[in-house]
Amino acid sequence: MTPSTRLPPRPSGFRPDIEGMRGIAVLLVVMYHCGVPGSGGGFIGVDVFFALSGYLITGLILNEIARTGKLSFRRFYARRARRLLPAAGLVVLSTLLLGVLVYSPLELVGFAKWASYTSLYISNYMFVREGSNYFAADIATNPFLHTWSLAVEEQFYLLWPALIVTALLVVKSRRRLAVMLTVISTVSLALCIWLTHYRQPWAFFSLPPRAWEFGLGGLACMLPAQRLKIHLRWLNLLGWVGLTAVLAAGCGYSPQTRFPGVAALLPVAGTLATLISGTSGVPSGLAVLLGSRILQYLGRLSYSWYLWHWPILLMASIRFPDLTWHGKLMAGAVALVLAHITFLVLEKPVRLSAFLVARPELSLGLVLLTAVTGITGARMVEANARHALAAGEQARFWAAANNSRPLFEGNCLARSGVADLLQCDYGDRQSPTAVVLFGDSHAEHWFPALELIADEKRYHLLTLLKASCPAARVQVYNVSLKRQDVECSKWREAALQRILQLRPSLVVLSEADGPVINHARPARLGGHLVSAQEWEEGVRSTVSYLDSHGVRTLVIADVPRAGFDVPICLSRAAAHRWATQDCEPTREAALNEDARQAENTAILGLTNTRLVDFADKLCAGLFCQSVIDGEVVFRDSNHLTSNFARKLAPYLEREIEELVDTRKATEHALVARSPR
């Protein structure tokens, strides 16, 4: 018995409500990326697209099987290739070419690789890797960032038809297929919720935890349309409720929302409710709204507009650093014009080409053509950028951006989401003088200087470090995991206990003051910051705990925060005459004086603790220098380069020697007074 004997065909044809929902989805995304007030959750437009794709693709597959008794994989993938690849290939190449005029050689080397990933539709898994890497380049400024969702959809298109056909061959009925899709979607949703809590980048960017959004769309298309039409009044109400849910998520969510997880249910369920309402085909207020000219126009151009809007917005923001959301909307309008041209000149002609429709093999050839063209263009741009970085001042900026991070590369820096204590040992391990480097990545960047001192003085240097986890006893919010970092608190207490066991001669403590409210610069973590008072109490709690156990501690105040990637800024300024951004931030904006004052107050009265502040060596007058004595100071926006850290080693050595020598003198005095 073939599957078609149990699968009656469903009505097919153009659905204005679906086109209208596409228009709403892309509008939400563009408004969110433009920073329009009230659109903080506009990123859920992608989830609307996922649900729509699941609904449409499942329906297309089931209808073809119902009509012909089988699915032509060749024609299915040929249609997808004609629909998606030409516009995507054009935007990849255009982004590379425009990028040569806007980006620095330092940026182009990295972005060229992403163009290759995009051409192969694997960029989502590359973003998983980068999103999990604390020291990765800021993915929010990557002009190919938005292609992660296209990669997820392409992977869905690749696997879903085979899954449906195989399932039908096994279960041989629509009802059992629905049960199977329900199980798959449930497992995927459970995985999504779990990963959102523990490994948020995996939940956000990868297909398995997103598959439930497509799966629920597929289930919605399998609902019996004739039975649904009996309840027209309830269907209309369901549609309005669904649209309200989508808009509520788009307006009410924010980048701080723990997403996707449970939160993604609202926009997905809202989308499906709207689609189910539209199965009746009966005119209604909702149908009129979704069928309006503007939404139909935006829906028709949604794919091309989505492709163009992100790189255009980023490049406009670089060219005009003070661009407001009004100006970004104008950039979005430019992207819409490009989308209109792309649709008329390329997307529509290729998709409807009678020549290609009659020759699926040629359509499938677009897969290879797009990949080869994109990768070739990327390699050419990368080679040109590397040539520019090979000599002169650009070579210096390249070296700064790629300055070695031995502790990170040696797995000595605990990652987000884990509480495991990682201890690494350097220097003379037999030395009676042990120095422990304790804190987060802003302690890690002092390691090159400390290693130099340890080698010279024959100290035993140990490290206890965790990314984004201050030594101060405060509750911090983890940006990557979108939740309070409970693992940080567990790790900190374990590290303190380990320090007491080690009984070191000295602890060098340093930490980023980014989690502390600073009225001189915008909040980086939204509402998830600690006050200066809380910071003072947290620092005091940590250092007094060590001090009370006789552990001498040198606290190094945080370095300035530029607010931008310094090597990239310098590279861009050297490459383009129009680059107007000042690569030297003001002292007021770069230094968190509230946090520094809190740290000074926190150590008062502690006999074994001292604070050292190198701010005056990095900031002369009103500005903080990006280059000092020919050496680039920062490897990104807030971490010192290894080379520059070593330049500060003599100053740090004096501070360390005073504390170590004081401890030795105290120990000798105790020995001299002890009875014999």
Side-chain angles (χ1 to χ4, degrees):
M1 184 180 294
T2 62
S4 61
T5 59
R6 296 284 186 93
L7 295 173
R10 295 172 59 87
S12 61
F14 177 72
R15 290 265 303 265
D17 59 320
I18 293 178
E19 195 84 310
M21 286 301 295
R22 282 198 185 106
I24 289 175
V26 73
L27 193 58
L28 285 171
V29 172
V30 173
M31 289 175 63
Y32 166 67
H33 284 151
C34 289
V36 177
S39 62
F43 53 82
I44 61 94
V46 170
D47 301 86
V48 175
F49 280 127
F50 287 170
L52 289 172
S53 292
Y55 186 93
L56 286 167
I57 295 303
T58 305
L60 288 172
I61 293 171
L62 293 179
N63 277 330
E64 182 171 340
I65 292 174
R67 290 195 318 271
T68 66
K70 63 179 181 179
L71 175 68
S72 172
F73 286 93
R74 183 182 58 171
R75 294 189 178 279
F76 174 85
Y77 290 123
R79 288 193 297 269
R80 294 297 93 202
R82 291 196 304 273
R83 171 74 176 87
L84 301 173
L85 298 185
L90 173 66
V91 173
V92 166
L93 288 177
S94 299
T95 300
L96 286 170
L97 293 175
L98 290 172
V100 172
L101 303 177
V102 176
Y103 291 115
S104 67
L106 192 56
E107 294 167 287
L108 287 172
V109 166
F111 294 159
K113 293 180 180 178
W114 289 101
S116 297
Y117 300 149
T118 298
S119 299
L120 295 172
Y121 283 95
I122 58 171
S123 64
N124 60 322
Y125 287 106
M126 297 301 106
F127 285 118
V128 167
R129 183 189 66 183
E130 297 299 293
S132 303
N133 183 347
Y134 178 74
F135 286 112
D138 190 359
I139 62 175
T141 59
N142 190 316
F144 297 101
L145 174 61
H146 64 316
T147 65
W148 74 268
S149 63
L150 306 180
V152 169
E153 289 220 27
E154 284 295 326
Q155 291 155 19
F156 162 73
Y157 295 145
L158 182 65
L159 300 174
W160 199 247
L163 175 66
I164 296 292
V165 171
T166 302
L168 285 175
L169 289 173
V170 174
V171 300
K172 296 183 173 24
S173 77
R174 185 186 296 271
R175 183 183 300 274
R176 292 174 182 171
L177 175 63
V179 172
M180 184 174 291
L181 294 186
T182 301
V183 171
I184 292 173
S185 299
T186 302
V187 172
S188 172
L189 176 58
L191 177 64
C192 179
I193 294 171
W194 185 83
L195 284 175
T196 299
H197 186 77
Y198 291 103
R199 291 288 185 275
Q200 196 267 347
W202 277 97
F204 194 92
F205 289 114
S206 59
L207 175 62
R210 290 285 196 160
W212 66 272
E213 302 184 36
F214 298 98
L216 291 186
L219 285 168
C221 89
M222 297 173 67
L223 294 174
Q226 295 304 319
R227 293 184 184 179
L228 292 174
K229 290 180 180 179
I230 299 174
H231 309 285
L232 285 179
R233 182 178 299 177
W234 290 108
L235 273 185
N236 290 335
L237 177 61
L238 181 67
W240 283 111
V241 170
L243 182 59
T244 301
V246 171
L247 297 178
C251 297
Y253 287 178
S254 74
Q256 281 70 50
T257 301
R258 192 182 298 177
F259 200 86
V262 175
L265 282 168
L266 183 62
V268 171
T271 301
L272 299 181
T274 308
L275 292 176
I276 292 169
S277 174
T279 58
S280 67
V282 177
S284 65
L286 180 61
V288 172
L289 173 64
L290 294 177
S292 62
R293 286 187 177 182
I294 182 63
L295 288 182
Q296 292 296 297
Y297 176 74
L298 294 179
R300 191 160 54 250
L301 300 183
S302 59
Y303 179 62
S304 291
W305 196 20
Y306 182 84
L307 284 170
W308 279 110
H309 86 283
W310 182 244
I312 295 298
L313 281 176
L314 284 184
M315 293 182 196
S317 297
I318 290 172
R319 186 63 180 84
F320 306 101
D322 298 324
L323 202 63
T324 65
W325 67 267
H326 302 87
K328 290 180 180 179
L329 278 179
M330 293 181 63
V334 171
L336 183 59
V337 172
L338 292 173
H340 183 91
I341 296 171
T342 302
F343 179 80
L344 291 180
V345 175
L346 184 64
E347 189 179 340
K348 185 178 178 180
V350 172
R351 179 165 56 89
L352 301 180
S353 168
F355 180 80
L356 291 176
V357 169
R359 297 167 177 82
E361 294 81 5
L362 289 181
S363 296
L364 292 173
L366 291 172
V367 177
L368 182 61
L369 177 63
T370 302
V372 170
T373 304
I375 293 173
T376 301
R379 289 293 178 86
M380 293 174 64
V381 169
E382 182 181 2
N384 184 63
R386 287 190 180 278
H387 177 74
L389 293 168
E393 57 184 352
Q394 289 287 358
R396 185 170 42 143
F397 306 145
W398 168 259
N402 293 275
N403 216 221
S404 63
R405 298 187 286 266
L407 296 184
F408 183 71
E409 294 163 358
N411 195 32
C412 296
L413 191 70
R415 310 294 183 94
S416 295
V418 297
D420 298 340
L421 201 62
L422 300 176
Q423 176 184 317
C424 292
D425 296 69
Y426 299 88
D428 183 357
R429 303 190 183 193
Q430 305 303 318
S431 172
T433 304
V435 177
V436 174
L437 179 60
F438 173 42
D440 56 18
S441 65
H442 282 223
E444 180 266 350
H445 66 197
W446 288 108
F447 172 78
L450 287 171
E451 186 181 35
L452 203 64
I453 296 168
D455 289 342
E456 180 183 337
K457 296 292 183 179
R458 301 192 66 81
Y459 293 159
H460 180 194
L461 177 60
L462 307 96
T463 63
L464 294 171
L465 304 165
K466 178 172 170 60
S468 301
C469 182
R473 279 171 161 164
V474 292
Q475 287 289 331
V476 292
Y477 179 82
N478 190 297
V479 180
S480 175
L481 299 175
K482 302 290 180 70
R483 62 172 171 83
Q484 291 296 318
D485 198 338
V486 294
E487 292 85 0
C488 172
S489 299
K490 293 177 181 178
W491 174 89
R492 184 190 302 120
E493 296 308 311
L496 288 170
Q497 291 300 314
R498 180 59 178 154
I499 289 172
L500 296 188
Q501 294 170 6
L502 292 169
R503 299 185 62 83
S505 303
L506 178 68
V507 170
V508 177
L509 184 157
S510 189
E511 56 198 344
D513 60 19
V516 187
I517 293 172
N518 180 9
H519 298 96
R521 62 177 180 236
R524 184 173 61 93
L525 305 178
H528 302 282
L529 296 170
V530 299
S531 67
Q533 180 64 33
E534 291 172 317
W535 188 249
E536 177 187 326
E537 294 170 356
V539 173
R540 179 76 180 190
S541 178
T542 295
V543 296
S544 63
Y545 178 81
L546 295 172
D547 193 272
S548 66
H549 287 84
V551 178
R552 297 189 181 275
T553 305
L554 178 65
V555 179
I556 305 179
D558 196 14
V559 298
R561 286 178 170 268
F564 51 84
D565 191 294
V566 171
I568 285 177
C569 181
L570 294 170
S571 177
R572 195 183 293 159
H576 303 295
R577 292 182 178 179
W578 54 260
T580 58
Q581 182 182 357
D582 191 347
C583 297
E584 293 191 342
T586 64
R587 183 185 182 110
E588 180 184 12
L591 296 176
N592 189 337
E593 294 298 346
D594 292 338
R596 305 175 98 76
Q597 182 58 47
E599 290 168 353
N600 274 288
T601 305
I603 69 166
L604 291 177
L606 300 179
T607 57
N608 295 313
T609 305
R610 178 181 298 179
L611 185 142
V612 60
D613 191 344
F614 292 103
D616 289 340
K617 297 192 179 300
L618 278 69
C619 304
L622 298 177
F623 295 90
C624 295
Q625 281 64 55
S626 297
V627 179
I628 298 178
D629 295 333
E631 196 71 59
V632 179
V633 176
F634 301 97
R635 66 179 178 232
D636 48 30
S637 65
N638 60 98
H639 294 92
L640 298 178
T641 63
S642 296
N643 290 343
F644 186 78
R646 292 188 187 97
K647 283 184 172 292
L648 296 176
Y651 306 101
L652 190 58
E653 182 178 346
R654 286 200 293 267
E655 300 289 343
I656 290 174
E657 280 185 326
E658 287 186 26
L659 283 170
V660 170
D661 290 345
T662 303
R663 176 186 173 90
K664 288 179 179 178
T666 303
E667 289 174 346
H668 289 322
L670 290 173
V671 170
R673 289 199 300 267
S674 64
R676 301 197 175 185

